[in-house]
mmCIF file of all heavy atoms in Angstrom:
data_model
loop_
_atom_site.group_PDB
_atom_site.id
_atom_site.type_symbol
_atom_site.label_atom_id
_atom_site.label_comp_id
_atom_site.label_asym_id
_atom_site.label_seq_id
_atom_site.Cartn_x
_atom_site.Cartn_y
_atom_site.Cartn_z
ATOM 1 N N LYS A 8 10.835 56.080 -3.671
ATOM 2 C CA LYS A 8 11.366 55.130 -2.701
ATOM 3 C C LYS A 8 12.716 55.583 -2.141
ATOM 4 O O LYS A 8 13.545 56.139 -2.848
ATOM 5 C CB LYS A 8 11.519 53.751 -3.342
ATOM 6 C CG LYS A 8 10.203 53.132 -3.797
ATOM 7 C CD LYS A 8 9.267 52.908 -2.609
ATOM 8 C CE LYS A 8 7.958 52.281 -3.067
ATOM 9 N NZ LYS A 8 7.033 52.050 -1.929
ATOM 10 N N HIS A 9 12.895 55.296 -0.838
ATOM 11 C CA HIS A 9 14.143 55.628 -0.166
ATOM 12 C C HIS A 9 15.082 54.422 -0.192
ATOM 13 O O HIS A 9 14.720 53.338 0.273
ATOM 14 C CB HIS A 9 13.847 56.030 1.287
ATOM 15 C CG HIS A 9 15.080 56.265 2.115
ATOM 16 N ND1 HIS A 9 15.054 56.196 3.500
ATOM 17 C CD2 HIS A 9 16.369 56.549 1.779
ATOM 18 C CE1 HIS A 9 16.262 56.434 3.962
ATOM 19 N NE2 HIS A 9 17.079 56.653 2.933
ATOM 20 N N VAL A 10 16.266 54.609 -0.762
ATOM 21 C CA VAL A 10 17.290 53.563 -0.797
ATOM 22 C C VAL A 10 18.475 54.017 0.037
ATOM 23 O O VAL A 10 19.059 55.075 -0.222
ATOM 24 C CB VAL A 10 17.758 53.268 -2.237
ATOM 25 C CG1 VAL A 10 18.783 52.133 -2.232
ATOM 26 C CG2 VAL A 10 16.586 52.919 -3.140
ATOM 27 N N GLN A 11 18.817 53.226 1.043
ATOM 28 C CA GLN A 11 20.014 53.535 1.812
ATOM 29 C C GLN A 11 21.180 52.728 1.246
ATOM 30 O O GLN A 11 21.127 51.496 1.158
ATOM 31 C CB GLN A 11 19.840 53.210 3.294
ATOM 32 C CG GLN A 11 21.081 53.638 4.109
ATOM 33 C CD GLN A 11 20.809 53.680 5.598
ATOM 34 O OE1 GLN A 11 20.416 52.685 6.178
ATOM 35 N NE2 GLN A 11 21.024 54.831 6.221
ATOM 36 N N VAL A 12 22.221 53.429 0.863
ATOM 37 C CA VAL A 12 23.410 52.813 0.274
ATOM 38 C C VAL A 12 24.446 52.587 1.365
ATOM 39 O O VAL A 12 24.779 53.507 2.122
ATOM 40 C CB VAL A 12 23.995 53.701 -0.848
ATOM 41 C CG1 VAL A 12 25.270 53.075 -1.416
ATOM 42 C CG2 VAL A 12 22.969 53.909 -1.953
ATOM 43 N N LEU A 13 24.947 51.359 1.459
ATOM 44 C CA LEU A 13 25.935 50.989 2.462
ATOM 45 C C LEU A 13 27.289 50.874 1.785
ATOM 46 O O LEU A 13 27.488 50.036 0.898
ATOM 47 C CB LEU A 13 25.556 49.652 3.115
ATOM 48 C CG LEU A 13 24.112 49.526 3.601
ATOM 49 C CD1 LEU A 13 23.885 48.157 4.228
ATOM 50 C CD2 LEU A 13 23.755 50.636 4.565
ATOM 51 N N LEU A 14 28.220 51.721 2.200
ATOM 52 C CA LEU A 14 29.535 51.772 1.556
ATOM 53 C C LEU A 14 30.633 51.601 2.583
ATOM 54 O O LEU A 14 30.658 52.296 3.602
ATOM 55 C CB LEU A 14 29.707 53.102 0.814
ATOM 56 C CG LEU A 14 30.922 53.259 -0.102
ATOM 57 C CD1 LEU A 14 30.609 54.245 -1.234
ATOM 58 C CD2 LEU A 14 32.161 53.749 0.654
ATOM 59 N N SER A 15 31.539 50.676 2.312
ATOM 60 C CA SER A 15 32.711 50.488 3.164
ATOM 61 C C SER A 15 33.915 51.107 2.467
ATOM 62 O O SER A 15 34.205 50.788 1.308
ATOM 63 C CB SER A 15 32.967 48.995 3.410
ATOM 64 O OG SER A 15 34.172 48.811 4.119
ATOM 65 N N ALA A 16 34.616 51.991 3.177
ATOM 66 C CA ALA A 16 35.761 52.692 2.588
ATOM 67 C C ALA A 16 37.046 52.310 3.308
ATOM 68 O O ALA A 16 37.073 52.206 4.540
ATOM 69 C CB ALA A 16 35.550 54.204 2.670
ATOM 70 N N TYR A 17 38.088 52.102 2.512
ATOM 71 C CA TYR A 17 39.410 51.835 3.097
ATOM 72 C C TYR A 17 40.479 52.361 2.139
ATOM 73 O O TYR A 17 40.632 51.854 1.026
ATOM 74 C CB TYR A 17 39.615 50.343 3.346
ATOM 75 C CG TYR A 17 41.020 50.016 3.862
ATOM 76 C CD1 TYR A 17 41.398 50.408 5.151
ATOM 77 C CD2 TYR A 17 41.935 49.351 3.068
ATOM 78 C CE1 TYR A 17 42.670 50.137 5.629
ATOM 79 C CE2 TYR A 17 43.200 49.074 3.533
ATOM 80 C CZ TYR A 17 43.577 49.466 4.824
ATOM 81 O OH TYR A 17 44.846 49.199 5.293
ATOM 82 N N ASN A 18 41.184 53.406 2.572
ATOM 83 C CA ASN A 18 42.255 54.011 1.760
ATOM 84 C C ASN A 18 41.783 54.232 0.318
ATOM 85 O O ASN A 18 42.464 53.855 -0.638
ATOM 86 C CB ASN A 18 43.502 53.136 1.782
ATOM 87 C CG ASN A 18 44.179 53.123 3.138
ATOM 88 O OD1 ASN A 18 43.861 53.941 4.012
ATOM 89 N ND2 ASN A 18 45.106 52.208 3.339
ATOM 90 N N GLY A 19 40.640 54.852 0.195
ATOM 91 C CA GLY A 19 40.040 55.015 -1.133
ATOM 92 C C GLY A 19 40.154 56.399 -1.721
ATOM 93 O O GLY A 19 39.342 56.767 -2.575
ATOM 94 N N GLU A 20 41.134 57.180 -1.289
ATOM 95 C CA GLU A 20 41.209 58.588 -1.668
ATOM 96 C C GLU A 20 41.227 58.820 -3.189
ATOM 97 O O GLU A 20 40.695 59.822 -3.667
ATOM 98 C CB GLU A 20 42.469 59.224 -1.060
ATOM 99 C CG GLU A 20 43.769 58.578 -1.507
ATOM 100 C CD GLU A 20 44.999 59.173 -0.849
ATOM 101 O OE1 GLU A 20 44.834 60.040 0.032
ATOM 102 O OE2 GLU A 20 46.131 58.784 -1.224
ATOM 103 N N LYS A 21 41.793 57.875 -3.940
ATOM 104 C CA LYS A 21 41.982 58.101 -5.375
ATOM 105 C C LYS A 21 40.675 58.106 -6.149
ATOM 106 O O LYS A 21 40.489 58.916 -7.073
ATOM 107 C CB LYS A 21 42.927 57.044 -5.939
ATOM 108 C CG LYS A 21 43.414 57.341 -7.349
ATOM 109 C CD LYS A 21 44.510 56.382 -7.767
ATOM 110 C CE LYS A 21 45.034 56.742 -9.149
ATOM 111 N NZ LYS A 21 46.130 55.826 -9.582
ATOM 112 N N TYR A 22 39.753 57.199 -5.823
ATOM 113 C CA TYR A 22 38.534 57.042 -6.612
ATOM 114 C C TYR A 22 37.249 57.350 -5.852
ATOM 115 O O TYR A 22 36.176 57.456 -6.460
ATOM 116 C CB TYR A 22 38.445 55.601 -7.137
ATOM 117 C CG TYR A 22 39.677 55.148 -7.892
ATOM 118 C CD1 TYR A 22 40.458 54.095 -7.424
ATOM 119 C CD2 TYR A 22 40.048 55.780 -9.084
ATOM 120 C CE1 TYR A 22 41.588 53.684 -8.119
ATOM 121 C CE2 TYR A 22 41.174 55.366 -9.778
ATOM 122 C CZ TYR A 22 41.946 54.320 -9.296
ATOM 123 O OH TYR A 22 43.061 53.916 -9.984
ATOM 124 N N LEU A 23 37.318 57.485 -4.553
ATOM 125 C CA LEU A 23 36.129 57.648 -3.717
ATOM 126 C C LEU A 23 35.245 58.831 -4.113
ATOM 127 O O LEU A 23 34.018 58.678 -4.206
ATOM 128 C CB LEU A 23 36.549 57.757 -2.250
ATOM 129 C CG LEU A 23 35.437 57.890 -1.211
ATOM 130 C CD1 LEU A 23 34.464 56.717 -1.288
ATOM 131 C CD2 LEU A 23 36.051 57.974 0.199
ATOM 132 N N PRO A 24 35.803 60.031 -4.365
ATOM 133 C CA PRO A 24 34.922 61.159 -4.718
ATOM 134 C C PRO A 24 34.076 60.901 -5.959
ATOM 135 O O PRO A 24 32.889 61.262 -5.991
ATOM 136 C CB PRO A 24 35.908 62.314 -4.940
ATOM 137 C CG PRO A 24 37.090 61.960 -4.086
ATOM 138 C CD PRO A 24 37.211 60.469 -4.206
ATOM 139 N N GLN A 25 34.660 60.268 -6.972
ATOM 140 C CA GLN A 25 33.903 60.003 -8.198
ATOM 141 C C GLN A 25 32.757 59.031 -7.934
ATOM 142 O O GLN A 25 31.655 59.197 -8.470
ATOM 143 C CB GLN A 25 34.835 59.447 -9.278
ATOM 144 C CG GLN A 25 34.196 59.383 -10.652
ATOM 145 C CD GLN A 25 35.176 58.981 -11.737
ATOM 146 O OE1 GLN A 25 36.261 58.483 -11.466
ATOM 147 N NE2 GLN A 25 34.782 59.188 -12.987
ATOM 148 N N GLN A 26 32.992 58.030 -7.088
ATOM 149 C CA GLN A 26 31.923 57.091 -6.756
ATOM 150 C C GLN A 26 30.832 57.774 -5.941
ATOM 151 O O GLN A 26 29.636 57.578 -6.194
ATOM 152 C CB GLN A 26 32.493 55.891 -6.002
ATOM 153 C CG GLN A 26 31.456 54.959 -5.364
ATOM 154 C CD GLN A 26 30.593 54.207 -6.353
ATOM 155 O OE1 GLN A 26 30.138 54.768 -7.352
ATOM 156 N NE2 GLN A 26 30.346 52.938 -6.071
ATOM 157 N N LEU A 27 31.208 58.569 -4.957
ATOM 158 C CA LEU A 27 30.208 59.271 -4.141
ATOM 159 C C LEU A 27 29.351 60.186 -5.010
ATOM 160 O O LEU A 27 28.128 60.264 -4.836
ATOM 161 C CB LEU A 27 30.901 60.080 -3.041
ATOM 162 C CG LEU A 27 31.569 59.271 -1.932
ATOM 163 C CD1 LEU A 27 32.312 60.204 -0.974
ATOM 164 C CD2 LEU A 27 30.547 58.437 -1.166
ATOM 165 N N ASP A 28 29.980 60.868 -5.953
ATOM 166 C CA ASP A 28 29.231 61.756 -6.845
ATOM 167 C C ASP A 28 28.232 60.970 -7.690
ATOM 168 O O ASP A 28 27.108 61.432 -7.930
ATOM 169 C CB ASP A 28 30.195 62.523 -7.756
ATOM 170 C CG ASP A 28 31.011 63.562 -6.997
ATOM 171 O OD1 ASP A 28 30.612 63.935 -5.880
ATOM 172 O OD2 ASP A 28 32.064 63.986 -7.529
ATOM 173 N N SER A 29 28.631 59.780 -8.151
ATOM 174 C CA SER A 29 27.727 58.983 -8.987
ATOM 175 C C SER A 29 26.548 58.442 -8.177
ATOM 176 O O SER A 29 25.445 58.283 -8.706
ATOM 177 C CB SER A 29 28.489 57.832 -9.659
ATOM 178 O OG SER A 29 28.787 56.782 -8.760
ATOM 179 N N ILE A 30 26.761 58.171 -6.898
ATOM 180 C CA ILE A 30 25.667 57.714 -6.031
ATOM 181 C C ILE A 30 24.715 58.870 -5.732
ATOM 182 O O ILE A 30 23.487 58.714 -5.766
ATOM 183 C CB ILE A 30 26.225 57.112 -4.733
ATOM 184 C CG1 ILE A 30 27.028 55.840 -5.040
ATOM 185 C CG2 ILE A 30 25.096 56.795 -3.753
ATOM 186 C CD1 ILE A 30 27.771 55.269 -3.832
ATOM 187 N N LEU A 31 25.259 60.014 -5.450
ATOM 188 C CA LEU A 31 24.429 61.182 -5.160
ATOM 189 C C LEU A 31 23.636 61.642 -6.386
ATOM 190 O O LEU A 31 22.616 62.323 -6.240
ATOM 191 C CB LEU A 31 25.309 62.330 -4.654
ATOM 192 C CG LEU A 31 25.932 62.131 -3.262
ATOM 193 C CD1 LEU A 31 26.995 63.179 -2.998
ATOM 194 C CD2 LEU A 31 24.865 62.158 -2.180
ATOM 195 N N ALA A 32 24.085 61.254 -7.571
ATOM 196 C CA ALA A 32 23.421 61.668 -8.808
ATOM 197 C C ALA A 32 22.318 60.701 -9.242
ATOM 198 O O ALA A 32 21.736 60.872 -10.313
ATOM 199 C CB ALA A 32 24.450 61.800 -9.929
ATOM 200 N N GLN A 33 21.992 59.711 -8.414
ATOM 201 C CA GLN A 33 20.958 58.736 -8.775
ATOM 202 C C GLN A 33 19.606 59.413 -8.984
ATOM 203 O O GLN A 33 19.200 60.272 -8.213
ATOM 204 C CB GLN A 33 20.846 57.667 -7.687
ATOM 205 C CG GLN A 33 22.060 56.753 -7.590
ATOM 206 C CD GLN A 33 22.266 55.938 -8.845
ATOM 207 O OE1 GLN A 33 21.452 55.101 -9.213
ATOM 208 N NE2 GLN A 33 23.377 56.183 -9.529
ATOM 209 N N GLU A 34 18.917 58.983 -10.039
ATOM 210 C CA GLU A 34 17.623 59.561 -10.392
ATOM 211 C C GLU A 34 16.481 58.612 -10.034
ATOM 212 O O GLU A 34 16.649 57.398 -10.041
ATOM 213 C CB GLU A 34 17.581 59.875 -11.893
ATOM 214 C CG GLU A 34 18.618 60.895 -12.333
ATOM 215 C CD GLU A 34 18.588 61.142 -13.839
ATOM 216 O OE1 GLU A 34 18.014 60.290 -14.563
ATOM 217 O OE2 GLU A 34 19.120 62.167 -14.278
ATOM 218 N N GLY A 35 15.322 59.158 -9.716
ATOM 219 C CA GLY A 35 14.118 58.363 -9.517
ATOM 220 C C GLY A 35 13.973 57.736 -8.144
ATOM 221 O O GLY A 35 12.973 57.058 -7.880
ATOM 222 N N VAL A 36 14.934 57.940 -7.248
ATOM 223 C CA VAL A 36 14.865 57.419 -5.885
ATOM 224 C C VAL A 36 15.439 58.465 -4.924
ATOM 225 O O VAL A 36 16.176 59.354 -5.335
ATOM 226 C CB VAL A 36 15.661 56.096 -5.717
ATOM 227 C CG1 VAL A 36 15.043 54.966 -6.512
ATOM 228 C CG2 VAL A 36 17.125 56.293 -6.110
ATOM 229 N N ARG A 37 15.077 58.335 -3.665
ATOM 230 C CA ARG A 37 15.680 59.181 -2.630
ATOM 231 C C ARG A 37 16.816 58.392 -1.982
ATOM 232 O O ARG A 37 16.597 57.290 -1.465
ATOM 233 C CB ARG A 37 14.638 59.580 -1.580
ATOM 234 C CG ARG A 37 15.181 60.493 -0.486
ATOM 235 C CD ARG A 37 14.044 61.112 0.298
ATOM 236 N NE ARG A 37 13.269 60.140 1.033
ATOM 237 C CZ ARG A 37 13.555 59.729 2.286
ATOM 238 N NH1 ARG A 37 14.612 60.211 2.915
ATOM 239 N NH2 ARG A 37 12.769 58.859 2.889
ATOM 240 N N VAL A 38 18.004 58.944 -2.028
ATOM 241 C CA VAL A 38 19.201 58.221 -1.591
ATOM 242 C C VAL A 38 19.753 58.782 -0.290
ATOM 243 O O VAL A 38 19.800 59.998 -0.085
ATOM 244 C CB VAL A 38 20.305 58.288 -2.670
ATOM 245 C CG1 VAL A 38 21.609 57.678 -2.156
ATOM 246 C CG2 VAL A 38 19.867 57.571 -3.928
ATOM 247 N N SER A 39 20.149 57.891 0.600
ATOM 248 C CA SER A 39 20.978 58.260 1.744
ATOM 249 C C SER A 39 22.157 57.295 1.771
ATOM 250 O O SER A 39 22.066 56.185 1.249
ATOM 251 C CB SER A 39 20.193 58.188 3.065
ATOM 252 O OG SER A 39 19.782 56.860 3.334
ATOM 253 N N LEU A 40 23.266 57.726 2.349
ATOM 254 C CA LEU A 40 24.455 56.879 2.416
ATOM 255 C C LEU A 40 24.882 56.679 3.856
ATOM 256 O O LEU A 40 24.986 57.643 4.624
ATOM 257 C CB LEU A 40 25.630 57.503 1.656
ATOM 258 C CG LEU A 40 25.581 57.493 0.136
ATOM 259 C CD1 LEU A 40 25.082 58.840 -0.370
ATOM 260 C CD2 LEU A 40 26.956 57.203 -0.438
ATOM 261 N N LEU A 41 25.128 55.415 4.221
ATOM 262 C CA LEU A 41 25.755 55.083 5.482
ATOM 263 C C LEU A 41 27.130 54.531 5.134
ATOM 264 O O LEU A 41 27.242 53.507 4.461
ATOM 265 C CB LEU A 41 24.943 54.047 6.258
ATOM 266 C CG LEU A 41 25.543 53.608 7.599
ATOM 267 C CD1 LEU A 41 25.596 54.795 8.569
ATOM 268 C CD2 LEU A 41 24.734 52.470 8.208
ATOM 269 N N ILE A 42 28.175 55.230 5.560
ATOM 270 C CA ILE A 42 29.538 54.885 5.159
ATOM 271 C C ILE A 42 30.354 54.510 6.381
ATOM 272 O O ILE A 42 30.364 55.236 7.385
ATOM 273 C CB ILE A 42 30.213 56.059 4.432
ATOM 274 C CG1 ILE A 42 29.362 56.500 3.230
ATOM 275 C CG2 ILE A 42 31.621 55.677 3.972
ATOM 276 C CD1 ILE A 42 29.856 57.760 2.547
ATOM 277 N N ARG A 43 31.023 53.378 6.297
ATOM 278 C CA ARG A 43 31.923 52.941 7.363
ATOM 279 C C ARG A 43 33.360 53.053 6.886
ATOM 280 O O ARG A 43 33.740 52.445 5.886
ATOM 281 C CB ARG A 43 31.643 51.498 7.770
ATOM 282 C CG ARG A 43 32.510 51.010 8.929
ATOM 283 C CD ARG A 43 32.218 49.557 9.270
ATOM 284 N NE ARG A 43 32.929 49.139 10.467
ATOM 285 C CZ ARG A 43 34.196 48.715 10.481
ATOM 286 N NH1 ARG A 43 34.872 48.649 9.346
ATOM 287 N NH2 ARG A 43 34.772 48.361 11.612
#
């Protein structure tokens, strides 16, 4: 199954990369991200 993840970012430089990596590492589904 394809899951599109909707993420809103605002001044998130400190923690954003770790969250993006954890989303990209999801197993058992096909992931795409739409980020605003």
